[in-house]
Amino acid sequence: MFERRLKLLLVCIVLLMGVVLMRAAQVQIAQADQWRERAGASMTRVQTVETYRGAILDRHGKALAVDTACVDAGVDYRAIRNPPDAAWVQQVAVSRLAAKGLNREQRRSLLAREQEQVRADIAAMWVRLAEVAQRSDESREESIDRIEQTRVAIVNRVEYLKRSLQYHAYRRARERFDDDADRVDWKSWLLEGRSGPPEIDAFAVDIAEETSVHPVVKDLHLLVANQLQKDADRMPGLMVSPGVTRRYPYHESAAHVIGSLGKAGQEEVLDGGNDPRRRYLPDDLIGRQGIERLCEPILRGSRGLIRSRIGGDSGPESVEASPGKSIRLTIDIDLQKSVEKVFERVSFPWPESTSDPITTEMYGAAVVLDAQSGQVLAMASHPGYDLNELSTLYKSLSLNAADRPLLNRATQAAMEPGSTIKPVIGLLGVANGVVGLYEGIECTGSLIIDGKPQWDGKCWTLKQFMNNPLAKGLTDHHKLPTDAPHKGSHGNRDGFLMFADSLERSCNVFFETVASRMSMSALCDGLRSFGLGSETGIGIEEVPGLLPDAFEGRPALRFSQQYLAGMGQGYLTATPLQMASAVSVIANGGAWIRPTLLLAADDPAGASVADAGAAAGDVSSASMPSPTSAPTTLPFTPERRELSIPLAAINEARRGMVNVVHARAGTGKNLLIDSNLPPGLKLAGKTGSAQTSKLSIPRLDPRTSEQLRNEAGGLAWDRPKLITREEPWFPGALTWYRGSGGLDRVAHAWFVGFAPAENPQVAFCVWVEYGGSGGQSAAKVAQGVLEACVDHGYLPAR
Amino acid sequence: MRRLWQQLAIATNWPVLAAAAVLLTLGTMSIWADTRDSSDPVWPKHLVFVVVGIGAMAAFQAVNYQILGRWAWAFYGLSLALILYTVAGSLIGGRAPLPFVRQVNGTYAWLVFGGMSLQPAELMKISFVMLLARYLRHRSSYRTLGGLIVPFVLTGVPVLMILKQPDLGTALVFGPALFAMLFVAGAHVRHLAGIVAAVVLVGFPLAWLSGPVEAGAPGLPLLRHLPAVVRNYQRERVYSLFRNDPEDRNATGFQQERALMAMGSGGATGKGLGVVPVGRRVPEAHNDMVFALVGEQFGFLGSLAVVTAYVVLFAAGFEIASATREPFGKLVAVGVVTLLAAQAGINLLVAIRLMPVTGVPLPFVSYGGSSLLASFLAIGLLLNIGQNRPFIIARSPFDFG
């Protein structure tokens, strides 16, 4: 009897079913929440809604950079993928055949051929888009290449988005159900899709971007858009749709200050944090330069999210997109435009000549500061470029090593300031007690150290007459011009030059002597206190410049660097912004104020950042990322440093600087010639003619933008020929590269100053690249700058 | 008329029919839920299969099973011939090597006639049980080790052919049926245990290890010259059960992962009839993973219903076997119930990730004509045996004291 065996078998089967039931209970009751979570994550579709970037406004609210509607040519993601999505191609083919009114049998027989046709049309569409996008400076092949790159970039972006959402869901689940949250290798997985943490694939999400239209060619011309629209039947997936592009209504004006946007790279993508609304996706635009970079966190908007569950009973949850906030600059764009215009027509005589003035475009920079607050009213760097065309022109601009239009000469060019440093040196000398306020120093034409004249410390006046045999042994040259000889005054009986006199006549020997009497550290610390030798901290790209204590040559030469600094030569360089900032110390009575481009929130000049973006998204729930609070504080630290300089010394500096412009012996008196400045306006200024080296232009490889090498293996340089009075023009001449007359020397021209002298409202610095004499070209530019300030109400017009 | 119903009510085994009805209902609802919005809503087709299956069941119930038993060799021969025909197709290869033979999902398990398709291996299951029962009914030779050779050959030939198609899942259910029938027929436990031990300790490792390195085997000396028994994808499925590698999850573990998500998200009471948002994204949900669809719609209660229905079905089947003293009927009942139990067991263990993916349909629940037909034939036989209990005045069969 084997009935027992039957029962045994039955028991086995029932046990098996028991196991199944227990496991079902485990999955559906004990772990139900966990599986539900996983299932939920895998069932979620997330769509992102892009938003606007905040505008950059000038101090009066005029838009300098603003997101504007445009027409884009977009393509369905399924046609962007290469090869195109097969199911979608079939779908297009079917609907095309259906549109032809074919019956089912005919459609079936033609389907394969029609799919081939759709594929061919997609390929042709990409060529057409490349033609549409082709720039004037690139070949057809380059354009096709570029479109191909765009295509790849979109695919990367979507893949990344998908992976990051998946990861986000995965991590939330892990945090909830697991103790160890993060894995070391997830970053490589996130970026490249390589194998990563376990179980993450269970959280794969579908995203709407996989089936939506992505812009491929931005900002189409309307005619082109119409043509594309007309041919849309032959271009599967093409959609001409409204988009957003950043526009710069003032084109070249303040281009260097406003800065530019670029595409986010790997670093930003990884460092973007966990907030899915603000995180950078590959190909997102990010501020790369200037204010766009500085104020990125404020300007950048938070994208919106729409999260829907497939087959879920609840409707989609969404977080509204919140646009970026606007930023107000201290720049007055109209003043800025006028200041930039000055450089286009500079009228000045050839160096060392008073006759035959020339009118030409010169390169350089001008900075106008509010003398009391440090606000930058204008910051011009010439030549500039049209920000609207930057992406098109970038390559040719960056290859232009001679003109360097991308360089912000106001903050990124540190040059020897020449004589414009002299007021600072004098003040430091008085403050350090190495020279009395009214102490005269004899100028014999050369700096005398330990009784020996120094060959490199000659006074500029002597240099002018050096080759004149009659002028040998000239000792009292500062009596020039002869009708305004210097006499002793202020208790100074010897007739030697005092601080103010030396400023007026720009005596090298006086300031060299003062600098040589100080210790190196006292000199450099003093220069530092005026904001030299380090970045001002204005927030946009700038260079720190050099101070003489950075010199590491022979000790004997180190000392010469010290006294050369007294006349702003040698191991001392500064940017025009630094010089404007230094001169405003004299203008405001002795405080260094960090210059700023950003209008503070409580500035009465206009409502500002804080109120613009309080309205973030309102909809939130446990599973949705909470509305983001974008930073509202300005990325700028104000600083005001009271320098310990006697007011009397500052007043003497002011007196000297007023005389530079208004006295008959003043080196800057050309400023007033042929000017439209109000006659009652008293100006203070200082000229500078800083000897410099000849222009050497790196020869760049047009493809890589790297410097080429010459036959000997060294770096290849071009040394262009100077324009001189004798040869004012020749083929390939750089019109702004001028020699100093018959002498084969070159110099940058400077002019710093403030106005009105008795109650300073603006401080300024003008730098003219290869402008020769500061008293000529720079004075002319300064004249234009000051006239612009009067025109726009920053100086009194009477 | 009333008498007929009364007779039917007495003769028919209602628990079996009730269990089958519960399973069919759950299955049809799941198939409907899974495919109602799809481009190929197969649930009407499934209903046709059900009707055809009920017809076949009635046919198998109508004729006395002992008459059917006389045709066992013929059924077996016909099934084997059909299988051999598909195997010939698999040896030729290609999409459509022979008339009616098509490659479906990499196997040649189906014969395709127009819109319908037939899986000869499913027929073979029934034929095999009938033939084996017929072979064993009056013998006692299988009580010696040598006497076990013929039953094993009768099983081994179709199993090897089915493996050649290849269709591992279907082949797997033959073993339990064979052992259960021998066990109930009275084969010595030590013989059966010895064979099981030999298979587990020698056969499995040998199969796993043999074959060239290209086939994924470790490539041991001697063994690498043997033909590969285990295929690469099968190895992967086993590995994926033990590894927590995302690559695996994507490739092979994905189906099970998704199935568990669907089941688990159903919770205790389910999401309701026809609501299978997760289950719809499980590959082959209405075939191999139909348990997940039931679990998602009806939660643990649904799972409980399925398991209970099977237990009722199998217990009723064993009750019939136990009550039948006629040896052929008794063995057929045991074989048929074990077949269904093995098939259900494998499918359920796969669905709850206690076994690697094999692709066996869940009897009465999964979509699939051949499987459904075989299941209906199986319970047709079972009911047949239950209602035709010959009164035999003899010692009970297989009573060897």
Side-chain angles (χ1 to χ4, degrees), chain A residues 8-67:
Chain A
L8 212 63
L9 267 181
L10 184 60
V11 168
C12 288
I13 291 173
V14 171
L15 279 180
L16 177 70
M17 290 296 152
V19 168
V20 171
L21 201 62
M22 276 159 64
R23 171 80 167 145
Q26 183 196 11
V27 169
Q28 297 184 295
I29 295 173
Q31 302 175 341
D33 283 344
Q34 180 184 347
W35 288 109
R36 213 172 272 141
E37 176 88 8
R38 283 206 200 184
S42 83
M43 300 301 296
T44 309
R45 276 171 83 97
V46 179
Q47 192 178 358
T48 56
V49 182
E50 293 302 327
T51 182
Y52 291 89
R53 189 177 172 83
I56 299 177
L57 310 172
D58 91 333
R59 71 185 291 121
H60 297 307
K62 292 186 178 164
L64 308 184
V66 65
D67 274 8

Side-chain angles (χ1 to χ4, degrees), chain A residues 2-3 5 28 38 42, chain B residues 183 257 281 303 330 398:
Chain A
F2 294 93
E3 296 304 311
R5 291 196 170 186
Q28 297 184 295
R38 283 206 200 184
S42 83
Chain B
F183 184 62
E257 178 83 12
R281 288 149 55 94
S303 307
K330 192 180 191 80
F398 316 125

Side-chain angles (χ1 to χ4, degrees), chain B residues 103-315:
Chain B
Q103 189 188 31
V104 181
N105 297 337
T107 72
Y108 296 86
W110 275 272
L111 291 170
V112 181
F113 311 99
M116 305 295 275
S117 60
L118 179 76
Q119 206 177 351
E122 293 287 345
L123 292 184
M124 178 48 104
K125 292 195 292 197
I126 305 298
S127 310
F128 152 78
V129 165
M130 285 171 68
L131 182 65
L132 195 64
R134 193 166 176 79
Y135 177 81
L136 294 175
R137 64 188 164 157
H138 295 313
R139 281 172 224 261
S140 55
S141 59
Y142 44 80
R143 287 181 60 79
T144 65
L145 202 54
L148 290 176
I149 291 176
V150 175
F152 272 89
V153 168
L154 287 178
T155 318
V157 169
V159 164
L160 286 178
M161 290 304 106
I162 292 170
L163 282 175
K164 197 78 196 161
Q165 281 179 334
D167 185 359
L168 175 68
T170 309
L172 273 180
V173 301
F174 284 76
L178 169 68
F179 275 84
M181 287 168 79
L182 286 174
F183 184 62
V184 170
H188 281 295
V189 174
R190 61 174 184 275
H191 292 159
L192 297 179
I195 293 167
V196 171
V199 168
V200 170
L201 295 180
V202 181
F204 280 3
L206 205 65
W208 189 259
L209 296 175
S210 65
V213 182
E214 304 90 82
L220 300 173
L222 295 177
L223 290 180
R224 67 162 172 256
H225 302 295
L226 296 174
V229 180
V230 185
R231 282 152 201 276
N232 263 337
Y233 72 89
Q234 292 167 338
R235 277 180 205 284
E236 280 308 312
R237 285 176 181 179
V238 174
Y239 286 143
S240 79
L241 207 59
F242 301 107
R243 269 196 315 222
N244 254 355
D245 193 338
E247 299 284 318
D248 284 356
R249 301 230 167 222
N250 255 350
T252 55
F254 178 72
Q255 195 186 8
Q256 287 176 320
E257 178 83 12
R258 279 280 154 95
L260 284 178
M261 276 186 199
M263 255 183 89
S265 65
T269 54
K271 300 177 184 173
L273 173 60
V275 185
V276 285
V278 185
R280 220 171 254 187
R281 288 149 55 94
V282 179
E284 297 291 312
H286 57 282
N287 293 331
D288 305 345
M289 292 298 181
V290 75
F291 190 53
L293 294 176
V294 175
E296 184 169 11
Q297 290 179 92
F298 310 112
F300 181 70
L301 295 180
S303 307
L304 184 66
V306 170
V307 169
T308 309
Y310 278 124
V311 169
V312 167
L313 176 63
F314 302 150

Side-chain angles (χ1 to χ4, degrees), chain A residues 552-563:
Chain A
E552 286 176 344
R554 295 210 316 271
L557 289 178
R558 193 173 156 84
F559 180 60
S560 71
Q561 293 305 329
Q562 187 180 330
Y563 61 71

Side-chain angles (χ1 to χ4, degrees), chain A residues 442-554:
Chain A
E442 182 184 17
C443 178
T444 57
S446 274
L447 172 67
I448 313 284
I449 301 287
D450 296 337
K452 275 184 243 163
Q454 304 292 312
W455 65 269
D456 54 355
K458 294 188 186 81
C459 202
W460 64 275
T461 339
L462 180 63
K463 279 182 203 161
Q464 274 188 319
F465 297 101
M466 228 157 73
N467 297 338
N468 184 345
L470 295 178
K472 269 214 161 66
L474 195 71
T475 55
D476 55 351
H477 61 283
H478 274 306
K479 285 182 178 160
L480 295 172
T482 46
D483 56 348
H486 177 72
K487 295 189 177 80
S489 62
H490 295 87
N492 172 24
R493 304 179 153 277
D494 52 20
F496 296 154
L497 296 177
M498 303 179 301
F499 177 29
D501 311 320
S502 306
L503 283 179
E504 176 188 338
R505 297 165 195 235
S506 197
C507 174
N508 287 351
V509 171
F510 181 93
F511 293 102
E512 284 168 347
T513 308
V514 169
S516 71
R517 286 180 187 172
M518 272 188 268
S519 71
M520 181 65 108
S521 59
L523 174 67
C524 291
D525 289 349
L527 290 170
R528 270 187 204 100
S529 69
F530 275 82
L532 302 176
S534 63
E535 280 115 347
T536 61
I538 193 169
I540 63 173
E541 297 74 17
E542 55 179 336
V543 292
L546 280 176
L547 291 182
D549 58 1
F551 182 78
E552 286 176 344
R554 295 210 316 271

Side-chain angles (χ1 to χ4, degrees), chain A residues 371-372 586-588 654 658 662 678 680-684 753-764 786 789-790 794-798:
Chain A
Q372 306 299 329
I586 301 166
N588 70 29
R654 283 185 181 172
V658 169
H662 294 282
L681 183 65
K682 212 171 189 192
L683 306 169
F754 50 88
E758 60 278 10
N759 172 30
Q761 290 168 15
V762 298
F764 64 92
L786 288 170
C789 288
V790 172
Y794 293 95
L795 285 177
R798 28 145 217 98

